[in-house]
Amino acid sequence: MVHYGHSNQLRQAKAMGDYLIVGVHTDAEIAKHKGPPVFTQEERYKMVRAIKWVDEIVEGAPYVTTLETLDKYSCDFCVHGDDITLTVDGKDTYEEVKHAGRYRECRRTQGVSTTDLVGRMLLMTKAHHSNMDSQHYQQHTDNFGKVCIMTLDGHSPWTGVSQFLQTSQKIIQFASGKEPQPTDTIIYVAGAFDLFHIGHVDFLEMVYKQAEKPYVIVGLHFDQEVNRYKGKNYPIMNIHERTLSVLACRYVSEVVIGAPYAVGKDLLDHFKVDLVCHGKTEVFPDNDGSDPYAEPRKRGIFKTIDSGNSLTTDDIVQRIIENRLQFEARNQKKEAKEMAVIEAMKKREQQEQQSEATAQAAH
């Protein structure tokens, strides 16, 4: 998948240098080393290109990063998160560049991983939002908020689920901070933007192209609102996670966190909106049965955008459910490999301590 954890990694990587090239693996490489990918390689190429800190991407990058690869693209060093990535036979994929001193590390974003998101989709296929006050739902969210620390419960700290904690600092890091200019066309769109995917990227790119100098504002609905009109187990990502996902997109200038469902007079006047866009997906009526876009339609500033991409969050969840057994096996295998590395690291540490103790005793 491509999620805000990746975006945060790329943001940190960009801050370490001047020009950021991102290598994206093929489906075949991912299937070989990790398990079935959720998005296709073409979808992932396009999604990574749409992340605002990325200058260039390399399609079909090798899974193991070598010095030859770095030299080929004139890179001074490569950056990865502080979790371990292993080949199918359990080797560190960055071994060569680490030895050469051309490796840097950035901090992994707590509370999100592809494994975690896949787990949410597999676990949460029941109507967990239908009664958000119920004991069952509360227990579920409590379980989801627990950090899996390997030393306590025998789970890998990288594969385990931990809680994402939003801070104002994180939003500032992701936000563009740019005010709209007098010559900008202010375009407003609203929705859930759950599990931010290529359908969203294509839509926002088309919205961005509606003006010469676009300033795109995305209104994100609160979780309860999304559940009201989407039902089932939606949203998969909470409002804080969806905020970062959308802010990381290069076509977005600003996000309204917890936007009102009806795009009314106050909102349009406050942001001085010139154009309101919506995709070809169904417009659900407001609580009182009214059209949430009545005001922009009345003003003649409403436009339906055909992004040419019909992919929805439902489709992504469907992909996961169809490959359920493969994904469950993927998560188990990944955790087993990580546990083996942790055990080896522990063993090495113990041996080093023993050697030190023996050397001191000899003195």
Side-chain angles (χ1 to χ4, degrees), residues 147-276:
V147 184
C148 289
I149 303 294
M150 171 260 155
T151 48
L152 296 179
D153 60 7
H155 286 294
S156 161
W158 301 300
T159 297
V161 175
S162 62
Q163 191 175 20
F164 169 69
L165 300 170
Q166 181 71 285
T167 61
S168 55
Q169 184 59 31
K170 186 62 68 219
I171 293 175
I172 290 164
Q173 288 168 345
F174 269 61
S176 70
K178 287 177 190 153
E179 294 276 323
Q181 298 306 300
T183 53
D184 288 349
T185 300
I186 297 171
I187 308 172
Y188 182 78
V189 301
F193 292 89
D194 193 15
L195 284 181
F196 197 75
H197 55 70
I198 192 65
H200 298 133
V201 169
D202 284 342
F203 168 68
L204 289 169
E205 186 181 5
M206 286 300 287
V207 167
Y208 188 83
K209 287 177 176 173
Q210 297 304 305
E212 206 178 309
K213 290 183 175 176
Y215 187 91
V216 179
I217 301 173
V218 176
L220 288 177
H221 302 139
F222 277 133
D223 298 348
Q224 285 86 342
E225 190 68 74
V226 174
N227 188 249
R228 180 187 68 80
Y229 63 82
K230 291 273 285 181
K232 292 184 194 162
N233 57 322
Y234 296 113
I236 304 286
M237 281 182 164
N238 67 38
I239 183 80
H240 304 305
E241 298 178 300
R242 292 184 284 120
T243 299
L244 294 188
S245 303
V246 174
L247 279 175
C249 180
R250 65 171 73 249
Y251 307 117
V252 176
S253 303
E254 183 62 287
V255 166
V256 180
I257 304 166
Y261 189 68
V263 183
K265 186 178 179 303
D266 290 351
L267 185 140
L268 296 174
D269 293 347
H270 178 81
F271 292 110
K272 299 182 173 61
V273 175
D274 299 302
L275 181 65
V276 175

Side-chain angles (χ1 to χ4, degrees), residues 36-228:
V38 179
F39 296 150
T40 68
Q41 61 197 45
E42 293 306 324
E43 287 171 339
R44 286 181 288 108
Y45 297 154
K46 202 165 183 181
M47 284 193 72
V48 175
R49 272 196 190 97
I51 295 170
K52 62 186 178 188
W53 299 284
V54 176
D55 294 301
E56 189 185 322
I57 81 154
V58 172
E59 297 184 1
Y63 197 76
V64 175
T65 304
T66 59
L67 293 171
E68 188 189 344
T69 304
L70 293 190
D71 292 339
K72 183 179 177 182
Y73 299 103
S74 309
C75 293
D76 295 298
F77 56 89
C78 72
V79 181
H80 192 264
D82 53 7
D83 55 332
I84 292 179
T85 62
L86 305 166
T87 62
V88 68
D89 47 10
K91 290 201 175 84
D92 182 351
T93 53
Y94 291 94
E95 200 168 9
E96 188 180 314
V97 291
K98 279 178 181 175
H99 286 317
R102 289 172 70 182
Y103 173 85
R104 294 197 193 170
E105 215 159 69
C106 62
R107 290 179 64 188
R108 188 179 164 277
T109 310
Q110 276 296 100
V112 67
S113 65
T114 299
T115 310
D116 171 18
L117 292 173
V118 165
R120 289 189 211 185
M121 287 181 260
L122 291 176
L123 280 172
M124 299 162 80
T125 48
K126 296 182 181 71
H128 69 281
H129 279 289
S130 57
N131 185 358
M132 295 185 95
D133 302 320
S134 77
Q135 206 179 339
H136 175 76
Y137 179 74
Q138 218 41 60
Q139 186 190 340
H140 188 82
T141 50
D142 287 350
N143 290 346
F144 245 69
K146 284 176 189 154
V147 184
C148 289
I149 303 294
M150 171 260 155
T151 48
L152 296 179
D153 60 7
H155 286 294
S156 161
W158 301 300
T159 297
V161 175
S162 62
Q163 191 175 20
F164 169 69
L165 300 170
Q166 181 71 285
T167 61
S168 55
Q169 184 59 31
K170 186 62 68 219
I171 293 175
I172 290 164
Q173 288 168 345
F174 269 61
S176 70
K178 287 177 190 153
E179 294 276 323
Q181 298 306 300
T183 53
D184 288 349
T185 300
I186 297 171
I187 308 172
Y188 182 78
V189 301
F193 292 89
D194 193 15
L195 284 181
F196 197 75
H197 55 70
I198 192 65
H200 298 133
V201 169
D202 284 342
F203 168 68
L204 289 169
E205 186 181 5
M206 286 300 287
V207 167
Y208 188 83
K209 287 177 176 173
Q210 297 304 305
E212 206 178 309
K213 290 183 175 176
Y215 187 91
V216 179
I217 301 173
V218 176
L220 288 177
H221 302 139
F222 277 133
D223 298 348
Q224 285 86 342
E225 190 68 74
V226 174
N227 188 249
R228 180 187 68 80

